[in-house]
Amino acid sequence: MPSAPADAKHYVGVDFGGTKIYAGVFTESLQCIGTARISTKPARGAAGVIERVARCVTDAVDECDLEMKQVKGIGIGAPGAVDSDKGKVIVAPNLEWRDVPLKKELERHLNLPAFIENDCNLSMLGVFVAELDSKPQDAVGIFIGTGIGGGIVLRGELFTGAGHTAGEIGHMVLQADNGPLCGCGNKGCFEALASRTAIFRRIQDAVRDGQKTILTEMLGHSLDDMRSGDLRRAIRRGDKFVKKVVEDAARYAGIAVANVINILNPEVVVLGGGIVEALGEHIMPIIKETSLEHALEGTAAHVTIQASKLADDAGIVGGAVLARKLSR
Amino acid sequence: MPSAPADAKHYVGVDFGGTKIYAGVFTESLQCIGTARISTKPARGAAGVIERVARCVTDAVDECDLEMKQVKGIGIGAPGAVDSDKGKVIVAPNLEWRDVPLKKELERHLNLPAFIENDCNLSMLGVFVAELDSKPQDAVGIFIGTGIGGGIVLRGELFTGAGHTAGEIGHMVLQADNGPLCGCGNKGCFEALASRTAIFRRIQDAVRDGQKTILTEMLGHSLDDMRSGDLRRAIRRGDKFVKKVVEDAARYAGIAVANVINILNPEVVVLGGGIVEALGEHIMPIIKETSLEHALEGTAAHVTIQASKLADDAGIVGGAVLARKLSR
């Protein structure tokens, strides 16, 4: 592993998925002083994507008028099962990656220490360190976007389980009989009931069956370019159908939160991700109410359920936290 | 707290619920040398039950031809939310207990150090220390009997969460829409789908609707005295209806195990309790198959799913483990 430059005082956090790579430069006190974004281009394969990640990091550093030697280390979240000890992505289905030595390759490109973690774990680490002022011992993050992922902090530390894959909260089955098909091949997963993909699918299916909605006026009948913000605008304009679909998803999310509370009895459950960012005001009251209804007597007495304010930045903040912790 | 007698070399583990109190005397190496059982009589209230627990402990010690001064400490599992630090049962719905100082009262009766824990946590502790030879860091126990409870060991220690109520796996919702009503007031809980109570209810409802089963020949039409062993006997005698009901419950249990694996990625999931003890040969293959089908790719790679051999003794073994750990 390369050693950190002697006088370096900055950290870079990186979050990437199948669509985009996002990097942020942070000070020792976790203030973000600049970011960069580029597309992932997963079709170029692991080597091509890692080259783009390295470029995004140098772009972000340059954006801040800094040089790479002023960076002490890099923390990066990858969308899949990550062996952080070995520095490898075990499997990342969206990228079609298997056994990719991300840490070693990034260090070779950038000549800086790099540390890797699952993207949702890293987001939770960011939320935990930079946002949760109460400094709870046990906290769970649930990130609802295109898919749904989770990150778990127990006894003050990220918990990743025996095989580094703990926190796959999106694939908790909530509707065992007759649940909708999930991308993982099972039926009734939380992700298949309450992710952006699930919400969009339900709307598109209903429109195909003749359902009227303002969304088709806004976006055309195929609804191809629909985004989370469009749902918010449709609800604000009084679209009861969209409101119902979003509220149904929020109820499933509330049941998922209750399941997590019943199993882990954490102090804090934080919700984040694009859906929570765009629709928080509509869905958070329903999520809270449903989860308190479904948590067993006593289990919810100590729990705070809140939306993350870090939104899309949770991942890069978490990356900086990881790099700050591990860079020497 | 009373101090342990100087030359004492034995520990007593106690497990109690709404029906019976069960105590066992153990050597330093956790060998059980004698037990005693009496009914709980919850209608006599907390003070009356605690007196009976104390009597059951002295009966068990007498059964082994030992005296109380040869006992170093007592570990006891209570059916509800337990604050082990404060030595109190916070709430135990089946007993109608609230805020009962079980530790203090037992110590007063017996003049020995007593330590309390939730019954399923204690069973898991017993399984973890006395049965799991692989000494995993992270393991989850699921106990399927009249109700369903769980116990979680993380990083080698019992994990009970912020409010001492972690592990309420029985109240994880698996069937959010149209699930059967649970004793907790919610619908579709694991316990309402796969506990002995749920299985019995499904059989009794079907019989009332005209379903034929060997069970009515064995036990009469009301099926009032049905026990888990009767289900095993009916299946062995070729009763396809009973087999189907039990297999359906096993499939829900498999989904519950998968949810736990997806969230916590433990090394071991142990199943115990009366249903697993009576029907293990029928249900364990289904539970394993269903859970591996539903665990996300990679998450189940490291997990062993097994039935506990301690059966009904897990709780008293766990009590002895707790007493051995904490008695001074």
Side-chain angles (χ1 to χ4, degrees), chain B residues 10-322:
Chain B
H10 295 87
Y11 303 93
V12 181
V14 186
D15 190 18
F16 78 106
T19 310
K20 70 171 205 314
I21 302 165
Y22 181 34
V25 181
F26 291 80
T27 63
E28 188 75 41
S29 61
L30 299 179
Q31 199 195 340
C32 184
I33 56 172
T35 62
R37 260 172 234 261
I38 59 173
S39 60
T40 307
K41 298 203 182 290
R44 295 192 187 172
V49 170
I50 293 171
E51 209 185 302
R52 294 179 70 78
V53 168
R55 194 197 310 167
C56 191
V57 170
T58 53
D59 284 358
V61 171
D62 181 62
E63 177 66 31
C64 307
D65 298 314
L66 292 171
E67 293 175 51
M68 289 304 285
K69 67 180 181 195
Q70 294 174 275
V71 175
K72 212 162 171 182
I74 294 157
I76 179 164
V82 170
D83 186 334
S84 53
D85 298 333
K86 292 191 182 146
K88 285 186 176 180
V89 177
I90 304 165
V91 57
N94 292 345
L95 301 169
E96 298 184 20
W97 282 19
R98 234 168 233 288
D99 205 29
V100 172
L102 177 59
K103 173 186 170 72
K104 198 181 79 182
E105 287 302 306
L106 260 185
E107 290 181 341
R108 193 172 61 81
H109 277 285
L110 294 166
N111 196 32
L112 280 174
F115 307 95
I116 73 172
E117 188 46 84
N118 164 273
D119 54 357
C120 287
N121 289 345
L122 206 62
S123 291
M124 184 53 197
L125 188 65
V127 168
F128 184 72
V129 172
E131 187 176 355
L132 297 183
D133 293 329
S134 66
K135 292 290 159 269
Q137 277 295 293
D138 307 315
V140 178
I142 301 179
F143 302 95
I144 307 179
T146 311
I148 297 179
I152 300 175
V153 169
L154 298 178
R155 297 179 185 138
E157 281 181 33
L158 205 55
F159 178 84
T160 61
H164 305 278
T165 61
E168 286 291 356
I169 290 169
H171 297 283
M172 170 166 58
V173 173
L174 300 180
Q175 182 66 22
D177 300 329
N178 312 315
L181 189 65
C182 183
C184 75
N186 287 311
K187 287 183 179 173
C189 293
F190 176 23
E191 180 168 304
L193 292 160
S195 64
R196 177 164 42 222
T197 315
I199 293 170
F200 284 6
R201 193 193 306 123
R202 231 190 108 188
I203 291 172
Q204 284 165 327
D205 288 353
V207 166
R208 212 170 294 125
D209 292 347
Q211 174 68 45
K212 301 276 183 228
T213 159
I214 292 169
L215 287 170
T216 52
E217 291 170 29
M218 290 161 55
L219 306 166
H221 195 75
S222 72
L223 297 174
D224 276 342
D225 291 324
M226 188 161 46
R227 288 159 177 269
S228 306
D230 297 322
L231 303 178
R232 186 183 56 226
R233 283 182 284 278
I235 292 172
R236 286 212 181 135
R237 288 172 61 182
D239 191 317
K240 287 189 179 149
F241 162 68
V242 172
K243 185 162 180 271
K244 172 76 165 59
V245 172
V246 167
E247 287 179 356
D248 284 350
R251 261 184 292 275
Y252 289 117
I255 289 171
V257 170
N259 282 358
V260 166
I261 292 173
N262 281 335
I263 296 172
L264 290 175
N265 187 217
E267 283 167 72
V268 179
V269 177
V270 186
L271 290 118
I275 285 286
V276 176
E277 192 179 354
L279 294 160
E281 64 176 304
H282 297 289
I283 65 175
M284 284 304 296
I286 296 169
I287 292 174
K288 283 185 196 180
E289 190 189 331
T290 310
S291 60
L292 295 180
E293 269 169 26
H294 283 80
L296 201 65
E297 188 192 349
T299 58
H302 302 254
V303 75
T304 305
I305 301 162
Q306 64 189 65
S308 169
K309 292 184 189 79
L310 288 180
D312 228 19
D313 288 348
I316 59 171
V317 174
V321 170
L322 188 71

Side-chain angles (χ1 to χ4, degrees), chain A residues 30-47:
Chain A
L30 297 179
Q31 198 196 338
C32 183
I33 56 172
T35 62
R37 260 173 232 262
I38 60 173
S39 60
T40 306
K41 299 203 182 291
R44 294 192 188 174

Side-chain angles (χ1 to χ4, degrees), chain A residues 232 236 276-286:
Chain A
R232 185 182 58 225
R236 287 211 181 135
V276 176
E277 192 179 354
L279 293 159
E281 65 176 303
H282 297 289
I283 65 176
M284 284 304 295
I286 297 169

